[in-house]
Amino acid sequence: MENDNFGFETSAIRTQLERTQYLEHSVPLYLTSSFVFEDAEDMRASFAEEKDRNIYSRYSNPNTNEFVDKVCKMEGASAGFAFASGMAAVYSTLAALLKSGDHIVSSSSVFGATHSLFINYFPKWNIETSYFDINKPETIESFITPNTKILFAESPTNPAVDIIDLELLGTIAKKHNLILIIDNCFATPYLQQPIKWGAHLVVHSATKLMDGQGRVLGGITVGDTELIQKIYLFSRLTGPALSPFNAWVLSKSLETLAIRLDRHCENAMKVAEFLENHPQVNKVKYPFLKSHPQYEIAQKQMKLGGNIVAFEIKGGLEAGRTFLDKIKLCSLSPNLGDTRTIVTHPASTTHSKLSVEERLAVSITDGLVRVSVGLETVKDVIADLEQALS
C-alpha cells in the first residue's frame, strides 16, 4: 500500500511486498541465491540496468527490498542498501565514497569498531580522520580542510550517551559542501530522523533495536539516491549483502519498533531516575534527564530518550568489575537494544584497548557502566541494579 500520509506505525506494518498468486497475508521468505530470466533480451536488459528487477541476492532480494523500503519511509530517505552487519554498513558506506587523500571529520565519541576503522585501517589508504569533541561543537569547523569529504557523528553516542545538535551539523555540512553521515543506531528512526536536520546518509546497526530481540545481525544505510547508488555499486562487487532470512526477520521486527521503543524509553527513564539518586553513583547520563548537559538539544531532535543509560559508579575500574560480578537478572553482553536488559563496563571490555587518555577523551571513565534497558518489569531491573550496587 502506497500512501505517504500514513503514520509511522502504519508504514512499518503495511509496507510490504506485493502478494504472490497464493495471496499470503505475511510476506514469504525468498531463500534463493539467484533469479531467472524470461529470455535473452530480458537477461541483457536486466544486466544493463534498463530494468529494475532482482538478478542475484548479492545485489538485491525481495525480502531485503522490503526491509530497505520500510527504513526509507521511516527515515524520510529516497533510497537505501542493506548489509550483513552494522559495521559492514559503516565500512562500505565510507569506502564507497572516499578515495586516497580524502579526509574525515568525526565526533570523537564513536563506536569502538568505527574508531578502529578510522585509526588502524583507513590510514593504509591515505584516508585520515580528525576528531572533534562532541562537547565543543564550536570547534568543528577548525578541523575542516580542503580535502575533507565527510562529516561523521553518532547521536546519542556509544557508550557515553552524549548528544550533538544535528541541525548544527547539517548547517556546517552544507556550508562546506561535505557529506553528513549520522549513525542513528541508538535512537532509531522512531525517535529521531537525521535527514530532517540535513544529514545526507543515515547508518544503522539493525542488530540492535531494529531487531530488538538479539536474534540476527544486520545493517543498513539510507539517504540520498545518488550517494546510495555509489554505495550499491561498491557493495554488489564486494559482497557485504544482508541475507534474505535476516532481512525477513528485521522487516517483521520493524512492525513492533514503535511500541517496543515506547516501553524501552519508559523503563530507561525510571532506571535513570533511580540511579541519579543512588549514593554509589557519581553521575548519570540519559538524554531526557534534565541533568544531561545536552538536554535541550535532545528535547529538540528526539521524540523520547532511548533505552541506553550511562552512569559512573564510585570506585572506578574495580568497582565496575565488582558490579558486573554481582549482577543476577540482567545480562552481561556487548550487545544492546535487546528485550533483555544488558549491562556493560566499557573500560574493561568494549573499549579496553584504548588508552586511559583516549577513553577519557570520549567520556569513558573507569567507572562508567552502560545499561541497555530492556522490556522486563522495570522494578525487577531496578532491584537487580540496586543489589549489585550495594
Side-chain angles (χ1 to χ4, degrees):
M1 297 177 65
E2 292 294 332
N3 189 325
D4 292 336
N5 295 319
F6 280 151
F8 185 95
E9 293 87 345
T10 305
S11 294
I13 293 167
R14 291 292 178 175
T15 300
Q16 61 185 73
L17 298 171
E18 291 184 12
R19 293 190 175 101
T20 70
Q21 70 271 31
Y22 298 109
L23 299 179
E24 66 281 344
H25 191 218
S26 183
V27 172
L29 273 163
Y30 289 86
L31 297 181
T32 180
S33 58
S34 60
F35 302 84
V36 298
F37 303 91
E38 294 178 0
D39 51 36
E41 174 56 22
D42 181 31
M43 196 169 189
R44 182 207 65 78
S46 297
F47 273 88
E49 297 185 10
E50 295 170 9
K51 288 186 173 184
D52 183 15
R53 57 108 77 209
N54 295 299
I55 298 174
Y56 192 68
S57 284
R58 173 157 51 88
Y59 303 175
S60 65
N61 174 281
N63 294 123
T64 307
N65 296 342
E66 181 185 274
F67 172 58
V68 170
D69 287 347
K70 283 189 180 182
V71 179
C72 284
K73 282 186 171 66
M74 291 173 166
E75 288 282 10
S78 54
F81 191 82
F83 300 88
S85 70
M87 281 312 301
V90 172
Y91 169 73
S92 299
T93 297
L94 293 167
L97 300 176
L98 292 166
K99 65 181 186 302
S100 179
D102 282 343
H103 177 242
I104 304 167
V105 173
S106 170
S107 59
S108 55
S109 303
V110 291
F111 180 48
T114 304
H115 173 73
S116 293
L117 194 63
F118 287 164
I119 299 303
N120 299 323
Y121 292 96
F122 279 177
K124 295 196 298 182
W125 301 303
N126 192 31
I127 297 169
E128 300 296 332
T129 301
S130 296
Y131 283 125
F132 65 87
D133 186 339
I134 203 164
N135 295 303
K136 298 177 181 177
E138 70 278 3
T139 67
I140 295 173
E141 290 185 273
S142 67
F143 293 96
I144 297 171
T145 63
N147 62 327
T148 303
K149 182 79 172 287
I150 284 171
L151 181 57
F152 185 94
E154 297 175 5
S155 186
T157 64
N158 186 4
V161 204
D162 289 312
I163 303 291
I164 191 161
D165 190 333
L166 298 180
E167 185 176 21
L168 172 65
L169 293 184
T171 300
I172 293 172
K174 185 176 182 180
K175 176 181 177 182
H176 296 276
N177 196 29
L178 305 178
I179 300 169
L180 176 59
I181 303 176
I182 299 297
D183 185 330
N184 201 29
C185 175
F186 273 23
T188 80
Y190 180 60
L191 303 183
Q192 176 176 275
Q193 297 88 36
I195 290 171
K196 290 181 179 178
W197 304 104
H200 301 96
L201 295 170
V202 179
V203 182
H204 289 275
S205 171
T207 311
K208 309 304 191 296
L209 284 160
M210 282 189 171
D211 173 34
Q213 295 171 67
R215 299 168 296 185
V216 299
L217 298 178
I220 189 167
T221 300
V222 300
D224 175 79
T225 301
E226 184 177 341
L227 296 175
I228 292 294
Q229 179 66 10
K230 293 178 181 179
I231 295 164
Y232 162 71
L233 292 174
F234 175 84
S235 300
R236 65 182 271 176
L237 291 175
T238 53
L242 180 65
S243 77
F245 177 78
N246 286 9
W248 179 83
V249 171
L250 290 167
S251 186
K252 298 301 289 182
S253 297
L254 290 178
E255 295 181 11
T256 61
L257 180 66
I259 195 167
R260 286 189 284 107
L261 259 293
D262 283 341
R263 178 55 65 87
H264 275 299
C265 295
E266 179 185 332
N267 283 359
M269 188 68 180
K270 291 176 181 177
V271 167
E273 289 169 343
F274 156 74
L275 290 168
E276 195 168 41
N277 294 302
H278 198 284
Q280 289 302 113
V281 174
N282 280 329
K283 63 179 179 180
V284 180
K285 288 176 80 173
Y286 181 69
F288 271 37
L289 277 182
K290 290 184 179 180
S291 57
H292 192 289
Q294 293 100 26
Y295 170 77
E296 295 296 336
I297 298 172
Q299 288 282 311
K300 178 180 79 169
Q301 65 194 31
M302 296 179 70
K303 180 177 182 178
L304 295 167
N307 83 310
I308 305 297
V309 180
F311 71 95
E312 185 180 308
I313 191 171
K314 292 179 180 178
L317 205 62
E318 287 307 311
R321 288 173 174 158
T322 300
F323 170 80
L324 291 191
D325 286 339
K326 293 177 71 174
I327 285 292
K328 294 177 181 178
L329 173 70
C330 302
S331 304
L332 307 186
S333 170
N335 197 25
L336 59 93
D338 201 309
T339 53
R340 291 153 287 208
T341 298
I342 295 169
V343 293
T344 308
H345 181 233
S348 66
T349 57
T350 55
H351 292 73
S352 60
K353 290 183 174 62
L354 300 182
S355 68
V356 174
E357 291 75 19
E358 287 175 322
R359 290 200 299 267
L360 289 176
V362 291
S363 304
I364 302 174
T365 61
D366 285 347
L368 184 75
V369 174
R370 185 189 73 191
V371 184
S372 171
V373 182
L375 301 179
E376 305 97 337
T377 305
V378 71
K379 69 178 182 61
D380 296 329
V381 175
I382 290 173
D384 192 33
L385 296 175
E386 186 168 28
Q387 66 80 27
L389 285 167
S390 65

